[in-house]
């Protein structure tokens, strides 16, 4: 039974530890992408594509027209960002909006050049829909705010260009070349973004891309970002623009985390199942070894239910002790894991293990162990209850 | 003075063992009445149905025909739970093998039936267990594990356990069959003396004719029926 108990302790413990880590990294990833790309993006105007047929008579138009809806089409970008922003702000859940003009450019600095994606923003709006203010690793946003031609570079891009704060750079796009000065360097932790995205002021972006009106997209922040998936269809309908939630945008990564969580949960649950099998065989053997004792208990007045309870109680004891010890073990290791240094860059930036403390990990692990242990002890208990005392006593008595 | 009402009544008990073609008619309509304060012994050749009858009377098995009434309650159509309750309240068993729980002490073994009955506090149960063990001569070994007792001592603990709930009937299946002559006499005398003292009926299955003769009634059995009723 000690092996079974250990199995339950480690099974429950590892279940919680793995779930705490996968959920922790998932949450951290979500926090990161919310801090970078916001909860929702209004992008692409909806175009109602209708084919119409005029029932023209011999003398020209009859005034009778048949319209056939032919699916949805989108026109890239937001032609009237101010109106759409104002309309979006009327949604109760919307916390902030930021108009962004985005394009591709060539960046030159310190005798090196690279491709980049400038984002033209209004700083005050954008810090309301992103975590940009906390992502600055060198320099200050204040400097960017004050300089019309200031630029924010990602750390890897700045490193590749060999530039730092106050250094000049040049952006070239649509045949135009504009000089800028590095105001600050930021790092989101998402490598793909940090090595390409740069932030400039909206008017500068309009000049660079020769785009005097319209926006590429509008970034939105919500009071509860987790409701983005529910709000976006309604907003799409009202604003007649495609509104993409972060869940839709990051579907593939979220699927990866989901698969990882399930995979880790199933793998670790196997330990609990094996312990359950161990308990089942131990109790089944005990029932066989103790048939004589069971028979005597039945003969002195113990009911079938009393006999079942003896074995179920053994299972319950292992379950309670195992689950509580497993929880303590899990909490200690989870705490210890957060102290382990690990440098992760790529989809987010962290220098230590990230964990999520969730009561549900503890409840679910307890429930899995409960079901397994109770099933493992219920069958032997039922068998014990069915022992016929007369047969056993007569058989032994010869 | 013991009550004059029978502690146990059995009428027309029939029992078949096995099934269908291999079925054996073991008991062929046995009638029996046990009176309080008396001892009875069933004797007969192996396979005549002695032990089968004892287990039926002890409600450990069900008869095919006939009625068993214990303490005024008919057990014939009673549920398993009711039969177990009757067994717990009215019947004490002593088997050929002591059947003590090895992990328990002598006192704990004696306390088991009381614990199930649930009418006494742990202190009372312990006190009664000590008293009963003293009566069977084991007052100084109450805290010994069953495995630390000799065969005779273990059987005496089994006798004390059978008496724990002050049952009206003691059923004993070859209670001395596994003991030497000395211990056989001790256990037998104990059973009969305590039964008389407490006004209980003792029904004993035995192959030992000398012991059988020392009970109040000898019930010889042959081919599933009592063949004569000898009063000692």
């Amino acid at each position: 039974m000690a092996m079974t108990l250990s199995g339950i302790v480690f099974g429950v413990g590892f279940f919680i530890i793995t779930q705490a880590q996968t959920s922790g990294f998932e949450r951290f990833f979500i926090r990161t992408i919310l801090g970078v790309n916001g909860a929702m993006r209004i992008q692409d105007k909806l175009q109602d594509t209708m084919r119409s047929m005029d029932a023209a008579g011999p003398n020209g138009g009859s005034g009778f027209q048949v319209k056939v809806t032919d699916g949805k089409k989108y026109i890239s970008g937001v032609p009237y960002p101010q109106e759409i922003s104002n309309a979006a702000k009327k949604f109760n859940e919307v916390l902030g909006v930021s108009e962004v003009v985005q394009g591709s450019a060539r960046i030159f600095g310190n005798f090196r050049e690279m491709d980049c994606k400038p984002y033209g923003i209004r700083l005050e709006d954008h810090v309301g829909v992103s975590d940009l203010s906390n992502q600055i690793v060198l320099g200050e946003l204040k400097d960017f705010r004050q300089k019309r031609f200031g630029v924010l570079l990602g750390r890897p891009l700045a490193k590749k260009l060999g530039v730092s704060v106050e250094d000049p750079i040049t952006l070239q796009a649509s045949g135009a070349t504009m000089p800028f000065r590095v105001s600050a360097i930021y790092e989101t932790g998402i490598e793909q973004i940090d090595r390409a995205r740069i932030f400039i002021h909206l008017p500068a972006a309009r000049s660079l891309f020769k785009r005097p009106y319209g926006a590429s997209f509008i970034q939105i922040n919500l009071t509860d970002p987790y409701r983005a998936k529910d709000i976006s269809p309604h907003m799409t309908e009202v604003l007649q623009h495609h509104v993409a939630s972060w869940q839709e945008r990051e579907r593939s990564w979220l699927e990866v985390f989901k698969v990882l969580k399930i995979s880790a949960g199933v793998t670790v649950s196997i330990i609990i199942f094996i312990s359950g099998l161990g308990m089942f065989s131990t109790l089944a053997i005990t029932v066989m070894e103790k048939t004589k004792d069971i028979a005597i208990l039945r003969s002195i007045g113990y009911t079938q239910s009393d006999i079942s309870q003896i074995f179920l109680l053994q299972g319950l004891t292992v379950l309670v002790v195992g689950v509580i010890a497993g929880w303590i073990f899990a909490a200690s290791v989870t705490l210890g894991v957060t102290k382990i240094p690990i440098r992760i860059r790529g989809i987010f930036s962290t220098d230590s293990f990230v964990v999520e403390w969730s009561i549900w990990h503890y409840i679910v692990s307890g429930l899995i162990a409960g079901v397994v242990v109770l099933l493992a002890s219920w069958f032997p208990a039922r068998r014990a209850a069915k022992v016929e005392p007369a047969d056993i006593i007569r058989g032994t008595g010869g | 003075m013991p009550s004059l009402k029978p502690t146990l009544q059995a009428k027309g008990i029939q029992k078949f063992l096995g099934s269908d073609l291999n079925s054996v008619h073991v008991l062929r309509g046995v009638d029996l009445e046990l009176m309080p304060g008396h001892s009875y012994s069933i004797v007969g050749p192996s396979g005549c149905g002695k032990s089968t009858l004892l287990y039926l009377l002890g409600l450990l098995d069900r008869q095919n025909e006939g009625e068993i009434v214990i303490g005024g309650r008919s057990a014939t159509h009673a549920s398993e739970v009711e039969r177990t309750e009757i067994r717990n309240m009215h019947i004490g068993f002593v088997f050929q093998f002591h059947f003590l729980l090895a992990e328990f002490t002598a006192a704990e073994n004696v306390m088991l039936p009381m614990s199930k009955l649930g009418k006494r506090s742990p202190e009372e149960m312990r006190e009664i267990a000590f008293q009963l063990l003293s009566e069977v001569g084991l007052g100084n070994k109450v805290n010994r594990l069953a495995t630390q007792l000799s065969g005779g001592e273990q059987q005496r603990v089994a006798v004390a356990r059978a008496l724990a709930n002050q049952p009206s009937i003691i059923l004993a299946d070859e209670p001395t069959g596994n003991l030497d002559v000395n211990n056989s006499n001790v256990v037998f005398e104990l059973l009969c003396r305590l039964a008389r003292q407490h006004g209980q009926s003792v029904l004993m299955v035995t192959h030992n004719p000398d012991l059988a003769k020392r009970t109040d009634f000898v019930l010889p059995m042959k081919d599933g029926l009592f063949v004569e009723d000898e009063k000692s």
Side-chain angles (χ1 to χ4, degrees):
Chain A
M1 212 51 103
M3 286 295 286
T4 303
L5 183 65
S6 315
I8 300 293
V9 173
F10 289 119
V12 166
F14 288 138
F15 181 91
I16 296 168
I17 295 161
T18 52
Q19 291 302 305
Q21 285 179 51
T22 47
S23 298
F25 280 120
E26 184 191 25
R27 285 276 169 144
F28 195 71
F29 168 73
I30 291 169
R31 213 162 54 227
T32 304
I33 58 116
L34 286 175
V36 174
N37 291 331
M40 292 201 300
R41 276 185 175 185
I42 302 172
Q43 53 193 30
D44 308 339
K45 184 182 183 330
L46 194 67
Q47 188 186 37
D48 196 10
T49 55
M50 287 186 295
R51 283 178 293 157
S52 54
M53 290 184 292
D54 288 324
N59 302 323
S62 67
F64 178 69
Q65 198 178 51
V66 178
K67 289 183 176 176
V68 182
T69 303
D70 202 22
K72 287 177 177 174
K73 275 190 177 174
Y74 293 95
I75 302 167
S76 178
V78 183
Y80 304 103
Q82 194 55 51
E83 286 82 348
I84 296 298
S85 294
N86 289 341
K89 280 178 191 168
K90 290 190 173 134
F91 282 80
N92 290 335
E93 298 89 347
V94 172
L95 207 60
V97 295
S98 172
E99 183 184 331
V100 178
V101 169
Q102 178 211 331
S104 295
R106 200 80 185 144
I107 184 167
F108 300 84
N110 210 10
F111 307 108
R112 288 179 201 157
E113 60 173 279
M114 303 191 76
D115 286 329
C116 69
K117 288 188 190 314
Y119 271 45
I121 57 168
R122 283 191 200 97
L123 183 62
E124 299 316 321
D125 288 346
H126 208 73
V127 293
V129 298
S130 70
D131 209 16
L132 188 59
S133 51
N134 295 320
Q135 289 160 352
I136 301 299
V137 290
L138 203 64
E140 285 184 33
L141 270 188
K142 193 174 68 181
D143 186 69
F144 179 69
R145 192 177 286 121
Q146 289 165 351
K147 287 180 179 157
R148 281 178 61 204
F149 293 97
V151 63
L152 303 175
L153 297 187
R155 198 210 294 258
L157 181 64
K159 195 176 171 189
K160 279 183 184 172
L161 289 171
V163 295
S164 189
V165 175
E166 290 295 324
D167 287 346
I169 56 115
T170 308
L171 290 176
Q172 190 182 71
S174 315
T177 303
M178 289 176 69
F180 289 85
R181 191 168 288 277
V182 179
S183 295
I185 290 170
Y186 73 89
E187 184 172 35
T188 64
I190 305 174
E191 185 76 16
Q192 206 180 348
I193 288 173
D194 293 345
R195 69 174 178 225
R197 187 178 297 181
I198 65 171
F199 292 97
I200 56 179
H201 290 286
L202 189 59
R206 290 197 186 286
S207 300
L208 181 67
F209 297 123
K210 297 189 170 56
R211 194 171 175 179
Y213 54 84
S216 306
F217 61 86
I218 296 169
Q219 190 160 315
I220 293 179
N221 194 11
L222 297 175
T223 48
D224 179 6
Y226 286 87
R227 290 205 59 223
K229 200 169 68 176
D230 307 323
I231 297 166
S232 61
H234 181 49
M235 213 177 241
T236 299
E237 198 64 36
V238 172
L239 302 179
Q240 287 296 296
H241 281 69
H242 177 63
V243 181
S245 65
W246 63 270
Q247 290 101 327
E248 182 188 332
R249 245 174 24 222
E250 307 295 341
R251 188 181 292 132
S252 47
W253 273 114
L254 294 176
E255 284 295 318
V256 169
F257 280 112
K258 191 172 155 190
V259 169
L260 271 176
K261 268 203 288 191
I262 293 172
S263 163
V266 168
T267 308
V268 175
S269 295
I270 288 171
I271 299 175
I272 301 177
F273 285 115
I274 291 171
S275 307
L277 280 176
M279 167 172 266
F280 175 79
S281 62
T282 307
L283 287 178
I285 291 167
T286 308
V287 170
M288 283 194 280
E289 286 174 351
K290 296 282 180 185
T291 45
K292 195 185 77 175
D293 290 352
I294 294 166
I296 201 68
L297 287 172
R298 295 276 289 121
S299 78
I300 60 178
Y302 283 77
T303 60
Q304 290 185 329
S305 161
D306 293 328
I307 303 297
S308 295
Q309 280 172 26
I310 292 171
F311 288 90
L312 286 175
L313 196 68
Q314 279 196 43
L316 200 66
T317 307
V318 171
L319 175 67
V320 171
V321 174
V323 167
I324 291 174
W327 286 349
I328 294 167
F329 168 68
S332 317
V333 175
T334 305
L335 193 67
V337 157
T338 59
K339 314 280 183 213
I340 299 172
I342 179 175
R343 186 183 156 79
I344 299 175
R345 298 290 185 276
I347 58 168
F348 46 69
S349 165
T350 179
D351 293 316
S352 64
F353 272 90
V354 184
V355 296
E356 187 195 7
W357 294 91
S358 168
I359 188 75
W360 286 106
H361 298 155
Y362 291 76
I363 291 172
V364 171
S365 65
L367 284 177
I368 292 173
V371 170
V372 170
V373 169
L374 289 181
L375 276 179
S377 46
W378 186 73
F379 286 103
R382 196 161 160 261
R383 191 172 165 180
K386 288 193 170 176
V387 165
E388 285 296 338
D391 293 346
I392 303 302
I393 293 164
R394 192 186 285 134
T396 317
Chain B
M1 275 291 285
S3 153
L4 290 177
K5 281 185 184 173
T7 51
L8 180 148
Q9 287 171 294
K11 282 179 193 165
I13 302 297
Q14 298 212 32
K15 177 70 180 174
F16 294 86
L17 289 181
S19 57
D20 300 331
L21 291 174
N22 299 321
S23 172
V24 180
H25 201 173
V26 182
L27 297 173
R28 297 164 181 269
V30 176
D31 296 330
L32 179 66
E33 201 170 88
L34 302 182
M35 297 305 286
H38 289 110
S39 55
Y40 303 79
S41 56
I42 304 175
V43 293
S46 292
C48 71
K50 307 182 297 290
S51 294
T52 304
L53 177 62
L54 198 79
Y55 295 127
L56 289 176
L57 298 177
L59 309 183
L60 289 174
D61 202 355
R62 282 186 188 264
Q63 67 274 24
N64 297 101
E65 293 283 336
E67 189 176 19
I68 296 170
V69 177
I70 295 171
R73 285 170 75 179
S74 171
T76 310
H77 300 295
S79 69
E80 196 50 46
V81 173
E82 287 171 308
R83 287 162 66 86
T84 308
E85 187 188 305
I86 295 171
R87 194 158 62 231
N88 184 232
M89 289 173 71
H90 296 283
I91 300 169
F93 276 104
V94 181
F95 301 104
Q96 180 178 359
F97 295 93
H98 54 80
F99 280 151
L100 299 182
L101 299 192
E103 296 86 353
F104 286 23
T105 64
E108 285 165 345
N109 268 287
V110 176
M111 286 162 69
L112 275 172
M114 293 187 272
S115 167
K116 174 56 198 162
L117 194 62
K119 287 186 176 171
R120 299 181 194 283
S121 67
E123 293 73 30
E124 283 177 311
M125 289 193 288
R126 182 155 284 275
E127 195 178 316
I128 292 170
F130 278 36
Q131 189 186 325
L132 284 168
L133 286 168
S134 298
E135 286 190 51
V136 298
L138 293 172
N140 56 342
K141 294 182 178 176
V142 289
N143 290 321
R144 291 232 181 138
L145 288 175
T147 47
Q148 295 168 331
L149 299 170
S150 70
E153 288 171 336
Q154 288 179 346
Q155 196 63 317
R156 280 188 274 161
V157 175
V159 170
R161 184 180 63 191
L163 296 164
N165 280 342
Q166 295 175 310
S168 50
I169 307 153
I170 305 286
L171 300 176
D173 187 10
E174 301 265 13
T176 60
N178 206 31
L179 302 177
D180 58 30
V181 179
N182 256 350
N183 274 311
S184 291
N185 284 327
V186 170
V187 169
F188 177 80
E189 285 303 328
L190 258 174
L191 268 174
C192 294
R193 178 172 59 82
L194 293 172
R196 266 194 303 275
Q197 275 177 10
H198 297 284
Q200 290 155 326
S201 309
V202 175
L203 177 63
M204 185 189 304
V205 165
T206 181
H207 278 111
N208 186 330
D210 295 333
L211 289 182
K213 278 179 193 167
R214 287 156 65 184
T215 58
D216 298 329
F217 298 93
V218 178
L219 308 168
M221 191 174 229
K222 192 178 176 187
D223 295 334
L225 280 171
F226 290 129
V227 286
E228 58 185 293
D229 192 349
E230 291 177 7
K231 192 168 182 182
S232 59

